[in-house]
Amino acid sequence: MNYVLKNLPVRTEKPRNTGFTMAMDKGLSLRETEDFVESCSDYVDIVKLGWATSFVTKKLKEKIAVYREAGIPVYFGGTLFEAFIVRGQFDDYRKVLDTYGLEYAEVSDGSISLNHEKKCEFISTLAQQVTVLSEVGSKDAAKIIPPYKWIEQMQTELNAGAWKVIGEAREGGNVGLFRDSGEVRQGLVEEILTQVPEERIIWEAPQKSQQVWFIKLLGANVNLGNISPSEVIPLETIRLGLRGDTFDHFLGEIKL
Amino acid sequence: MNYVLKNLPVRTEKPRNTGFTMAMDKGLSLRETEDFVESCSDYVDIVKLGWATSFVTKKLKEKIAVYREAGIPVYFGGTLFEAFIVRGQFDDYRKVLDTYGLEYAEVSDGSISLNHEKKCEFISTLAQQVTVLSEVGSKDAAKIIPPYKWIEQMQTELNAGAWKVIGEAREGGNVGLFRDSGEVRQGLVEEILTQVPEERIIWEAPQKSQQVWFIKLLGANVNLGNISPSEVIPLETIRLGLRGDTFDHFLGEIKL
Amino acid sequence: MNYVLKNLPVRTEKPRNTGFTMAMDKGLSLRETEDFVESCSDYVDIVKLGWATSFVTKKLKEKIAVYREAGIPVYFGGTLFEAFIVRGQFDDYRKVLDTYGLEYAEVSDGSISLNHEKKCEFISTLAQQVTVLSEVGSKDAAKIIPPYKWIEQMQTELNAGAWKVIGEAREGGNVGLFRDSGEVRQGLVEEILTQVPEERIIWEAPQKSQQVWFIKLLGANVNLGNISPSEVIPLETIRLGLRGDTFDHFLGEIKL
């Protein structure tokens, strides 16, 4: 770091299993990607090319290469998986992953209805090819999944071969784990945590107040996702208790 | 595109008359403009230099040249036209258009009171020099224009020589076509469409929910405007049914 | 400027004492900083590296050098000062300022409880080393400071050696000078202005509606702060009456 501040929360280091930040790139140009990597590669553990933006992104191979050279794995958003599945193009999807040399993939059913057994089969099959992140939660605000179902699905998907499970929030942070207003479904999160190991979960938390909530509940090294590139540095300061929002929270830990 | 997905909505191609995206640049630097053009030139049909930002933009000629080389016409926001008119500097305005080699211009009365006959005269005069976009709707949330007036003004302005008419929304998307809350004035839009040909209208729709609403109503190839540079790629995926918001909408068209 | 518009409000020029814009950089990469400076150096008077983002910013010295070469002084956000103070590292803080060659520093107590006499001592001490900006107002929305206290603190801090005092708003613009909703505490601002010279105050005003409010109250050349880099050009147009929001306001001054 640029100077010494005593008694900061201890952050995990790369490669991280906890304290993991997944950033969402929704169409950065090549040069913007280089800029992002230059300033944030220490703080970003994996990048999602949001939903199916990879379909219309120019110089996609070059972009993936920029991330790869910085040691940051890239994966396509789950909506892309769903777009292939709904068209009966699963084999094509698998070939696309190979064409772009991807080592991670997301399996989700946020926009389609997928029998859960079938979803787990996709996870198992893909897990032979790549590291699988699976996502739980609908993008449809009207589809409320009760906590016991979240837990059951998360556990089954991890058993099927998912490396980590992702709690859905979208880019906006107003579905899945969150209410319309962006407020956390607190009871849901706490119930999930009684049954699923924390390090196996990535919480999508695009809004600052959501990041703060999770950091206050689970500490500096909670796994967070859907972080906008321009919010990666701010998030790092929140994890370290160096922004107003968590400044007090970590002071108790300081022995002055 | 980067891979093959079957049965996508068919997008029009450049030069587009429908399915048109007008992006709003409110002060990109030269290098940011280059980045934008590199990633989005296929998806952007015209760029507006928002309101009078061109007045304080550095390297304006170079910026316009970057867009020109990418085949993207540029025009100054209507507020600039109004700033010249209110000062009695119409002739100066016409010279400025020539100085910058612009081939498009906007005529609007969002911030000034302009007799409608006079507005149409400006349209006619400018149409001899450039391609004219004219804008209907006030920037003042308190000035509610009834639907029949919108229609009458749009028709008269097209007759006066406007190439297309723009439905006002501002950068925020909370006036003109929209309520304070950003909600679409649905009845207004539908009534306009009974009288004005869809391909002659550009709907300003800066918010995602507004873009989604128009795409659901009018399909992938609706003309949309005031799109932020960073939202051009996301918009393109919404048009293609490749984001959660319109994923379902286009599925009915897929023959699986 | 790029063309001539008659009868614009007259803007002050650099080095400005009024009409001052303080921008907040919360983690721009080096190239983004270069871009920002290229397009905005005439309009930005000072840059704050927001709260403690400087701790995790890569190439910090190079970034500060880019600003310095453009004639823009840089200072670290007040939260960083507080992070050093709360750890008993004031001397370390002073050394850090020297290490980075900074000529400005902020003293604040937005996240810590600091006896006001002690705060003024910090101001006096630092004022021997650098030019001090001091900030009044809590980051905690629940801590409402009555107007007479704001005034008393501002006056005492200026007497202690602060060059200017800053009215707190955070990046969001929803505390301190503003209500939760972002609405200005109008009575507070007006009362402050009866006692503290306007040119000694920088009003943090990150939201457009807040900037507009201050410009309508105090004119084109009010001192504003916490402006996002991408909003510096828009703000300049608002100051000049060249955006819808203040278009009417300055028209009264035009002699046509």
Side-chain angles (χ1 to χ4, degrees):
Chain A
M1 295 304 154
N2 292 319
Y3 35 80
V4 177
L5 276 164
K6 295 175 185 168
N7 294 303
L8 291 177
V10 179
R11 285 282 283 133
T12 49
E13 286 186 12
K14 288 182 114 177
R16 294 186 184 94
N17 192 33
T18 60
F20 189 98
T21 295
M22 175 262 277
M24 185 166 79
D25 171 342
K26 61 176 192 171
L28 296 181
S29 73
L30 206 55
R31 199 150 54 184
E32 288 166 339
T33 308
E34 290 167 5
D35 287 348
F36 178 41
V37 151
E38 178 195 291
S39 30
C40 296
S41 64
D42 283 359
Y43 314 126
V44 172
D45 300 275
I46 196 164
V47 164
K48 169 166 71 178
L49 303 184
W51 62 101
T53 52
S54 58
F55 186 63
V56 292
T57 295
K58 301 291 164 190
K59 303 197 179 178
L60 180 58
K61 286 203 169 169
E62 290 89 330
K63 173 189 269 210
I64 293 169
V66 170
Y67 283 122
R68 184 179 296 124
E69 278 154 35
I72 303 174
V74 169
Y75 70 98
F76 293 153
T79 301
L80 184 65
F81 163 82
E82 298 177 45
F84 274 97
I85 293 309
V86 81
R87 287 166 175 82
Q89 292 184 258
F90 181 51
D91 287 346
D92 291 341
Y93 184 61
R94 299 185 62 181
K95 281 175 206 151
V96 169
L97 298 180
D98 283 343
T99 302
Y100 288 96
L102 298 186
E103 295 173 348
Y104 288 76
E106 182 180 326
V107 170
S108 63
D109 56 349
S111 297
I112 60 175
S113 289
L114 193 59
N115 173 295
H116 198 250
E117 213 166 303
K118 187 72 194 155
K119 186 180 179 188
C120 289
E121 272 173 42
F122 283 123
I123 293 170
S124 300
T125 309
L126 275 173
Q128 292 162 31
Q129 182 181 354
V130 293
T131 301
V132 175
L133 297 103
S134 77
E135 190 179 59
V136 173
S138 175
K139 291 192 195 304
D140 183 345
K143 286 191 192 150
I144 304 292
I145 304 174
Y148 83 93
K149 274 263 189 185
W150 279 79
I151 291 166
E152 196 180 283
Q153 290 183 15
M154 284 178 156
Q155 288 173 330
T156 326
E157 294 178 19
L158 289 169
N159 289 337
W163 170 58
K164 290 187 192 289
V165 287
I166 301 171
E168 170 74 88
R170 301 200 67 189
E171 188 201 358
N174 52 3
V175 296
L177 297 170
F178 306 98
R179 302 205 170 82
D180 264 14
S181 59
E183 198 196 342
V184 186
R185 294 205 156 105
Q186 195 162 338
L188 170 63
V189 170
E190 285 170 0
E191 196 164 334
I192 289 172
L193 284 165
T194 64
Q195 305 289 332
V196 184
E198 195 196 315
E199 69 269 19
R200 305 297 297 275
I201 310 175
I202 299 172
W203 310 96
E204 290 188 352
Q207 300 181 16
K208 187 184 75 164
S209 61
Q210 300 168 345
Q211 297 156 16
V212 168
W213 189 88
F214 277 107
I215 289 167
K216 285 187 174 171
L217 185 72
L218 298 170
N221 292 305
V222 59
N223 296 330
L224 296 173
N226 279 17
I227 308 303
S228 160
S230 63
E231 294 300 326
V232 167
I233 283 180
L235 171 60
E236 197 60 26
T237 63
I238 297 171
R239 291 183 182 280
L240 291 169
L242 291 177
R243 191 171 188 179
D245 312 85
T246 54
F247 195 97
D248 272 352
H249 181 74
F250 289 107
L251 281 188
E253 300 177 14
I254 298 186
K255 276 119 199 113
L256 294 177
Chain B
M1 295 304 154
N2 292 320
Y3 35 79
V4 177
L5 275 164
K6 295 176 185 168
N7 295 302
L8 291 177
V10 179
R11 284 282 282 131
T12 48
E13 287 185 10
K14 288 181 114 178
R16 292 187 184 93
N17 193 32
T18 60
F20 190 97
T21 295
M22 175 263 276
M24 185 167 80
D25 170 341
K26 60 176 194 174
L28 295 180
S29 73
L30 207 57
R31 199 149 55 184
E32 287 166 339
T33 308
E34 290 167 5
D35 287 348
F36 178 40
V37 152
E38 178 195 289
S39 31
C40 295
S41 64
D42 283 359
Y43 314 125
V44 172
D45 300 276
I46 196 164
V47 164
K48 169 166 71 182
L49 303 184
W51 63 101
T53 52
S54 57
F55 186 63
V56 291
T57 296
K58 302 290 165 191
K59 302 196 179 177
L60 180 58
K61 285 203 169 169
E62 291 89 329
K63 174 189 267 210
I64 293 169
V66 169
Y67 282 122
R68 185 178 296 124
E69 278 154 34
I72 302 175
V74 169
Y75 70 98
F76 293 153
T79 301
L80 183 64
F81 163 82
E82 299 177 44
F84 275 96
I85 293 308
V86 83
R87 287 166 175 81
Q89 293 184 255
F90 181 52
D91 286 344
D92 291 341
Y93 184 61
R94 297 185 64 181
K95 281 175 208 152
V96 169
L97 297 180
D98 282 343
T99 303
Y100 288 96
L102 298 185
E103 296 172 347
Y104 289 76
E106 183 179 326
V107 170
S108 62
D109 57 347
S111 297
I112 60 175
S113 288
L114 194 58
N115 173 294
H116 199 249
E117 213 165 300
K118 188 71 194 154
K119 185 180 180 189
C120 289
E121 271 173 42
F122 283 124
I123 293 171
S124 299
T125 308
L126 275 173
Q128 292 162 31
Q129 181 182 355
V130 292
T131 301
V132 175
L133 298 103
S134 77
E135 190 178 59
V136 173
S138 175
K139 291 192 196 303
D140 183 343
K143 285 193 192 149
I144 303 295
I145 304 174
Y148 83 92
K149 275 263 189 184
W150 278 79
I151 292 167
E152 198 179 281
Q153 292 184 13
M154 284 177 156
Q155 288 173 331
T156 325
E157 295 178 16
L158 289 169
N159 289 337
W163 170 58
K164 291 187 192 288
V165 287
I166 301 172
E168 169 74 88
R170 302 200 67 190
E171 188 201 357
N174 53 3
V175 295
L177 297 170
F178 306 99
R179 301 203 171 82
D180 264 16
S181 60
E183 199 196 340
V184 186
R185 294 204 156 107
Q186 196 162 339
L188 170 64
V189 170
E190 285 169 0
E191 197 164 331
I192 290 172
L193 284 165
T194 64
Q195 306 288 332
V196 184
E198 194 195 317
E199 68 270 19
R200 305 298 296 277
I201 310 173
I202 300 172
W203 309 96
E204 290 189 353
Q207 299 182 17
K208 187 183 75 164
S209 61
Q210 299 168 344
Q211 298 157 16
V212 167
W213 189 87
F214 277 106
I215 289 168
K216 285 187 175 172
L217 184 72
L218 297 170
N221 292 305
V222 60
N223 295 330
L224 296 173
N226 278 17
I227 308 302
S228 159
S230 63
E231 294 301 324
V232 167
I233 283 180
L235 170 60
E236 197 60 27
T237 64
I238 297 171
R239 290 184 183 278
L240 291 169
L242 291 176
R243 191 171 188 179
D245 313 84
T246 54
F247 195 96
D248 272 353
H249 181 74
F250 289 107
L251 281 187
E253 301 176 14
I254 299 186
K255 277 116 199 117
L256 294 177
Chain C
M1 293 305 155
N2 292 319
Y3 35 79
V4 177
L5 276 164
K6 295 175 186 168
N7 295 303
L8 291 176
V10 179
R11 285 282 282 131
T12 48
E13 286 184 13
K14 288 180 116 177
R16 293 187 185 93
N17 192 33
T18 60
F20 189 98
T21 295
M22 175 263 275
M24 184 167 79
D25 171 341
K26 61 176 194 172
L28 296 180
S29 74
L30 206 55
R31 199 149 56 183
E32 288 166 339
T33 308
E34 290 167 4
D35 287 349
F36 178 40
V37 152
E38 178 196 290
S39 31
C40 296
S41 64
D42 282 359
Y43 313 126
V44 172
D45 300 275
I46 197 164
V47 164
K48 169 166 70 181
L49 303 184
W51 61 101
T53 53
S54 58
F55 185 64
V56 292
T57 295
K58 302 290 165 191
K59 302 195 179 178
L60 180 58
K61 285 202 170 170
E62 291 89 330
K63 173 188 268 211
I64 293 169
V66 170
Y67 282 122
R68 184 179 296 124
E69 279 155 34
I72 303 174
V74 169
Y75 69 98
F76 293 153
T79 301
L80 184 65
F81 163 81
E82 298 177 43
F84 275 96
I85 294 309
V86 81
R87 287 167 175 81
Q89 291 185 258
F90 181 52
D91 286 345
D92 291 341
Y93 184 61
R94 298 185 63 180
K95 281 176 207 150
V96 168
L97 297 180
D98 282 343
T99 303
Y100 288 96
L102 298 185
E103 296 172 348
Y104 288 76
E106 182 180 326
V107 170
S108 62
D109 56 348
S111 297
I112 59 175
S113 288
L114 193 59
N115 174 293
H116 198 250
E117 214 166 302
K118 187 73 194 153
K119 187 180 179 190
C120 289
E121 272 174 42
F122 283 124
I123 293 171
S124 300
T125 309
L126 275 173
Q128 292 162 30
Q129 180 181 357
V130 293
T131 301
V132 175
L133 297 102
S134 78
E135 190 177 60
V136 173
S138 175
K139 292 192 194 305
D140 183 344
K143 285 192 194 151
I144 304 294
I145 304 174
Y148 83 92
K149 275 264 189 184
W150 278 79
I151 292 167
E152 197 180 282
Q153 291 184 13
M154 285 178 156
Q155 288 174 330
T156 326
E157 294 178 18
L158 289 169
N159 289 337
W163 170 57
K164 289 185 192 290
V165 287
I166 301 171
E168 169 74 87
R170 301 200 68 188
E171 188 201 357
N174 53 3
V175 295
L177 297 170
F178 305 99
R179 302 205 169 81
D180 263 15
S181 60
E183 199 195 342
V184 186
R185 295 204 156 106
Q186 196 162 337
L188 169 63
V189 170
E190 286 168 1
E191 197 163 332
I192 289 172
L193 284 165
T194 64
Q195 305 290 330
V196 185
E198 195 197 315
E199 68 270 20
R200 305 298 297 274
I201 311 174
I202 300 172
W203 309 96
E204 290 189 352
Q207 299 182 17
K208 186 183 74 163
S209 61
Q210 299 168 344
Q211 297 156 17
V212 167
W213 189 87
F214 277 107
I215 289 168
K216 285 187 175 171
L217 185 71
L218 298 170
N221 292 304
V222 59
N223 296 330
L224 296 173
N226 279 18
I227 309 302
S228 158
S230 63
E231 295 300 325
V232 167
I233 283 180
L235 170 60
E236 197 60 27
T237 65
I238 297 171
R239 289 183 184 278
L240 291 168
L242 291 176
R243 191 171 189 181
D245 313 85
T246 54
F247 195 97
D248 272 352
H249 181 74
F250 289 107
L251 281 188
E253 302 177 15
I254 299 186
K255 277 120 198 113
L256 293 177

